[in-house]
Amino acid sequence: MDAFILSYAVVNGLLQGAIYGGVALGLSLIFGVLRVVNFAHGSFLMLSLYISFWCWSLLGIDPYLSALINIPVMFALGYIVQSVIIAPLIKRESAMVVEPLSALLLTAGVFLVMDNMALMAFGPDVRALQAAYYVPTIIIGGIPISGQRLIAALAAFAVAGGIAYWLRHSNMGRAIRATAQNRDAAAMSGINVYSVYAMTFGLGCSVLGLFGSLIAPFLPISPAIGLAFGIKSFIVVVLGGLGSISGAIVGGIVIGVFEAVASQFVTATSASIGSLVLFILILIFRPQGIMGRA
């Protein structure tokens, strides 16, 4: 293969992988604290994309500035979904431990409701938006790099670092870490565990609010996009290590680079299948994921 084509594929794989990791950050955070696999993760991203689109279409708000609306709206939605739908399930379980299958079915129900409501409200048509200004393509070493994708990829690293710092140096962050380590001990220490759960779920959804605004300018928007990103996020999180913030970024980069390079030899569909094979092989030798703990 030509060295330029290979380098171009690797660079684009790094950008796409970082975006995968950024989108998966919320899913990893929610699982790390609640031990709940949020099957509706992709649906929340789909909704944030539509929020960004309608802010641009109806109100004339720039896609990037729509994050100022998108983030608090998605945080509030996540907080409400956890408090109203998931919290009753947690309270019914002894020792505040959710049965994985029950939580999975519950969030799968949320996914079905959200996706079908979006389909009824917006229809199956694919929509797209465009910023009022041009984000230039950057040339590095002769390799063109999309400015919009670069912004989203850099944001993924910044958000991952910001979350990790916040979890270690803020009171709420310490409460979240304590709850993740030992829920019973955290509750006995005076931490409102249910409030922590709601805050964590809201924070995970607010990350999707940010990335919905960042990737909307270059991503086709439709109700079906949520399922595709939801599955990809789950693969990324499990590959990187469930509950690991850095693992989400690493897992995303591994998948992104593999698919980008493999698509130079085979079709994009075959490359996606190959990434699943890679996913299985890595978990055979390292079941806890790349950055996960045994």
Side-chain angles (χ1 to χ4, degrees):
M1 177 184 291
D2 183 83
F4 173 80
I5 297 177
L6 181 60
S7 300
Y8 179 78
V10 170
V11 170
N12 278 276
L14 288 171
L15 296 179
Q16 188 62 39
I19 294 171
Y20 284 156
V23 171
L25 283 172
L27 181 62
S28 183
L29 180 64
I30 290 170
F31 179 84
V33 179
L34 278 73
R35 297 295 186 267
V36 169
V37 177
N38 180 19
F39 199 81
H41 187 76
S43 300
F44 284 104
L45 176 65
M46 177 268 296
L47 182 60
S48 73
L49 288 168
Y50 271 108
I51 291 174
S52 183
F53 173 80
W54 291 118
C55 284
W56 169 79
S57 178
L58 299 178
L59 303 176
I61 299 176
D62 181 82
Y64 293 123
L65 290 180
S66 69
L68 300 176
I69 298 174
N70 217 338
I71 292 174
V73 169
M74 293 304 298
F75 176 86
L77 179 62
Y79 194 100
I80 292 171
V81 167
Q82 199 285 327
S83 301
V84 176
I85 298 177
I86 300 177
L89 175 65
I90 296 176
K91 293 177 181 179
R92 284 198 299 268
E93 301 292 342
S94 60
M96 292 178 292
V97 177
V98 184
E99 289 294 333
L101 182 59
S102 300
L104 182 62
L105 293 175
L106 188 62
T107 56
V110 175
F111 146 72
L112 291 173
V113 170
M114 291 179 66
D115 276 31
N116 283 282
M117 287 183 65
L119 187 61
M120 289 189 294
F122 309 132
D125 298 334
V126 176
R127 292 178 168 87
L129 56 80
Q130 186 174 1
Y133 48 86
Y134 173 69
V135 179
T137 298
I138 302 172
I139 307 298
I140 299 179
I143 300 175
I145 300 175
S146 168
Q148 293 176 330
R149 292 181 180 272
L150 180 61
I151 290 173
L154 293 176
F157 288 100
V159 171
I163 291 177
Y165 182 86
W166 181 75
L167 288 174
R168 290 186 175 276
H169 297 92
S170 69
N171 291 333
M172 177 55 69
R174 294 188 185 98
I176 290 175
R177 290 170 55 212
T179 303
Q181 292 174 5
N182 192 316
R183 305 169 195 226
D184 294 336
M188 293 174 63
S189 300
I191 296 175
N192 187 335
V193 175
Y194 298 113
S195 177
V196 168
Y197 286 161
M199 287 290 296
T200 302
F201 208 98
L203 179 60
C205 291
S206 67
V207 172
L208 293 178
L210 172 62
F211 280 95
S213 295
L214 291 177
I215 67 178
F218 59 84
L219 201 68
I221 303 170
S222 73
I225 196 171
L227 180 60
F229 263 92
I231 294 174
K232 190 72 68 175
S233 295
F234 178 74
I235 293 173
V236 165
V237 166
V238 175
L239 181 63
L242 281 167
S244 172
I245 299 299
S246 58
I249 301 296
V250 172
I253 289 176
V254 169
I255 294 296
V257 171
F258 178 86
E259 289 184 351
V261 174
S263 63
Q264 303 303 313
F265 299 93
V266 296
T267 63
T269 302
S270 298
S272 297
I273 295 174
S275 67
L276 293 177
V277 175
L278 175 67
F279 168 72
I280 293 172
L281 291 175
I282 291 178
L283 291 187
I284 288 176
F285 296 100
R286 192 171 175 81
Q288 69 271 30
I290 298 174
M291 303 291 289
R293 296 179 181 178

